[in-house]
Amino acid sequence: MTNNFERKLEKYADLAVHVGANVQPGQRLMIWRTPPEAAPLVQAIAAKAYDAGASLVDAMWLDDGLQLARIQHAPDDSLEEFPEWLINGMLEHVQNGGALISARGGDPDLFRGQDEERVARVQKTYVQHLQPVMSHVTKGEINWLVIGAPTKAWARKVFPELPVDQALASLWELVFDICRINEPDPVAAWQAHLANLAAHSAYMNEKQYTALHLTGPGTDLTVGLPAGHIWKGGAGVSKAGVPFTANIPTEEVFTMPHKDRVEGVVRATLPLSYGGALIDDFSMTFKDGRVVDLQAGVGETVLRRMIENDEGAARLGEMALTPQSSPIAQSGRLFYHTLFDENASSHIALGRAYADTLAGSADMTTEELAAAGANHSLIHVDFMIGSAEMDVDGIRADGVAEPVMRGGEWTFEV
Ligand code: ZN
Ligand code: ZN
């Protein structure tokens, strides 16, 4: 591609290293879950990381074709096999304080038309084995980042009307634009944006609503919020004191829902691409925090298997608010990748809660966390429920409802 593209790729890599993972001098960096096609991005990130003083940069690839070969051809009794060495290696990396960047861009339709049962078994095995690593990551013990890595298969899905080379160029340009790479100074633009997210979080933290009430087409949902819940948005700080931004792009502020206090019905406003399977046109009914009923026009088996993964998989672990004016909603494109689509819209996640969205959680036992309302699960799957027709009210301790969002936009200035 053009020199112009090379310059933007370099700025994107710079953003990943300095604003995203914020790789430190002497720190090792692992770039993982990355399609081999994204090697130029990985190499650009590696160069920036070494410039920042990284001591060793390595990559682990996730190849779509290899995954598909397994789903289609592996013996049925082999689908629970997993390479233990890989988890041991990842654990060694994070326990020694290494940074992680996940540059994702696989085919959203990879498992379309495949045996849903086999897909679900492989996915369950994957999340089970990854759990020890993910628990370090979600506790914020290390500085980490998830970023997009456009590929042809992904671009074809987002721009089906274009020849594939043009689709890929268009997807890259859209990703650059959404990630503020076209701003004169992307790093400064991100610092201003992160400050804005922090101000919205601070407002919501001050309010300490006991619940949010969300209404929209097909949605009338009350999400209880535990006492001491913390709204977060933008940057976080690792245990070693390194500020980092876990997702680029990010447009959300989010907190912990109470795992036992979710009531009502919610309708998804965007399809969900879950491990290569598409779930679309779906809604769920909650009672006492648990999904008691669900319908899906597409992928209902995958969705049912997902919530049966474990006890916490049918309960919520995240409540996130994103205004419709976010650059992703404005783009009008569906990305079929949660990292992007979740920033188009307010969303909730089934499964594991982020413990650091609850005050005092670091000193709590697993039992105390559960009693406080924190959900535990091997999965964490976001899906979009926001729209330009969504209203959100905050319920105060005295029962009074205050407007938080109207028509998908914040009702307050910060
Ligand atoms: Zn989120
Ligand atoms: Zn999430």
Side-chain angles (χ1 to χ4, degrees):
M1 292 194 206
T2 62
N3 286 339
N4 193 28
F5 174 81
E6 301 297 338
R7 270 200 305 278
K8 288 184 183 182
L9 189 70
E10 201 183 321
K11 286 184 179 180
Y12 189 59
D14 192 59
L15 196 65
V17 167
H18 290 284
V19 175
N22 193 11
V23 181
Q24 298 294 297
Q27 195 177 26
R28 289 188 177 191
L29 170 65
M30 175 65 78
I31 305 167
W32 70 317
R33 296 167 94 167
T34 298
E37 203 184 315
L41 170 62
V42 170
Q43 290 152 10
I45 291 173
K48 291 291 178 188
Y50 283 125
D51 284 346
S55 58
L56 187 63
V57 182
D58 219 330
M60 288 199 313
W61 309 97
L62 185 66
D63 180 63
D64 277 355
L66 199 55
Q67 293 191 80
L68 196 57
R70 187 176 187 203
I71 294 296
Q72 291 177 335
H73 300 285
D76 206 55
D77 63 1
S78 74
L79 296 179
E80 276 77 29
E81 296 268 337
F82 200 85
E84 306 293 340
W85 64 265
L86 188 147
I87 290 310
N88 294 336
M90 290 299 295
L91 267 179
E92 185 189 300
H93 177 76
V94 298
Q95 283 167 348
N96 289 333
L100 281 181
I101 293 180
S102 171
R104 296 193 204 171
D107 182 355
D109 277 341
L110 183 62
F111 297 138
R112 183 176 216 152
Q114 302 302 318
D115 184 333
E116 289 187 1
E117 186 73 25
R118 284 172 64 89
V119 172
R121 283 172 63 200
V122 168
Q123 283 168 340
K124 183 171 182 179
T125 303
Y126 186 74
V127 293
Q128 276 177 336
H129 282 82
L130 223 58
Q131 159 65 14
V133 176
M134 294 316 291
S135 94
H136 285 277
V137 170
T138 57
K139 281 182 196 153
E141 288 179 4
I142 57 157
N143 41 328
W144 57 282
L145 166 70
V146 183
I147 197 166
T151 58
K152 285 182 177 172
W154 178 17
R156 207 182 281 127
K157 184 76 184 169
V158 182
F159 293 95
E161 70 278 16
L162 296 178
V164 69
D165 286 346
Q166 278 180 41
L168 182 60
S170 298
L171 180 58
W172 265 116
E173 186 48 38
L174 187 55
V175 167
F176 287 149
D177 201 46
I178 280 165
C179 295
R180 299 176 168 82
I181 296 302
N182 292 327
E183 301 276 335
D185 183 346
V187 170
W190 268 90
Q191 276 153 358
H193 172 56
L194 294 171
N196 183 272
L197 291 175
H200 279 89
S201 302
Y203 174 96
M204 294 297 284
N205 284 331
E206 179 80 35
K207 289 288 184 183
Q208 276 297 305
Y209 292 122
T210 60
L212 295 185
H213 181 218
L214 302 94
T215 53
T219 292
D220 185 348
L221 187 73
T222 299
V223 178
L225 301 177
H229 67 272
I230 300 170
W231 287 90
K232 293 195 156 195
V237 180
S238 77
K239 279 232 168 98
V242 178
F244 68 102
T245 306
N247 288 179
I248 288 182
T250 182
E251 303 288 334
E252 61 172 333
V253 300
F254 63 99
T255 193
M256 183 184 288
H258 194 296
K259 71 180 179 68
D260 302 322
R261 291 203 285 114
V262 182
E263 306 289 335
V265 60
V266 64
R267 180 163 185 80
T269 49
L270 285 174
L272 164 62
S273 178
Y274 177 63
L278 201 74
I279 303 164
D280 196 5
D281 187 20
F282 62 105
S283 57
M284 293 179 199
T285 304
F286 288 83
K287 191 173 183 318
D288 299 328
R290 203 169 194 290
V291 177
V292 291
D293 192 20
L294 68 82
Q295 288 91 35
V298 177
E300 189 168 304
T301 304
V302 178
L303 186 59
R304 286 191 185 278
R305 288 298 300 260
M306 190 177 95
I307 69 160
E308 287 163 6
N309 216 291
D310 49 44
E311 165 58 25
R315 295 177 186 274
L316 296 187
E318 180 186 344
M319 172 73 243
L321 297 174
T322 301
Q324 290 302 117
S325 53
S326 93
I328 297 172
Q330 292 301 304
S331 80
R333 287 279 169 182
L334 186 62
F335 285 79
Y336 301 93
H337 267 280
T338 301
L339 171 66
F340 289 84
D341 292 326
E342 83 165 326
N343 288 291
S345 180
S346 293
H347 56 275
I348 50 183
L350 288 164
R352 181 176 57 242
Y354 290 99
D356 59 359
T357 51
L358 185 70
S361 61
D363 301 319
M364 290 184 188
T365 63
T366 307
E367 292 72 28
E368 286 168 339
L369 275 172
N375 195 30
H376 178 73
S377 173
L378 292 180
I379 69 161
H380 176 100
V381 182
D382 301 273
F383 63 97
M384 307 311 119
I385 61 171
S387 71
E389 293 157 292
M390 173 163 277
D391 291 339
V392 180
D393 282 328
I395 311 298
R396 299 193 326 210
D398 61 6
V400 172
E402 292 180 347
V404 171
M405 282 186 153
R406 285 292 176 268
E409 296 297 333
W410 296 114
T411 55
F412 57 90
E413 295 280 331
V414 290

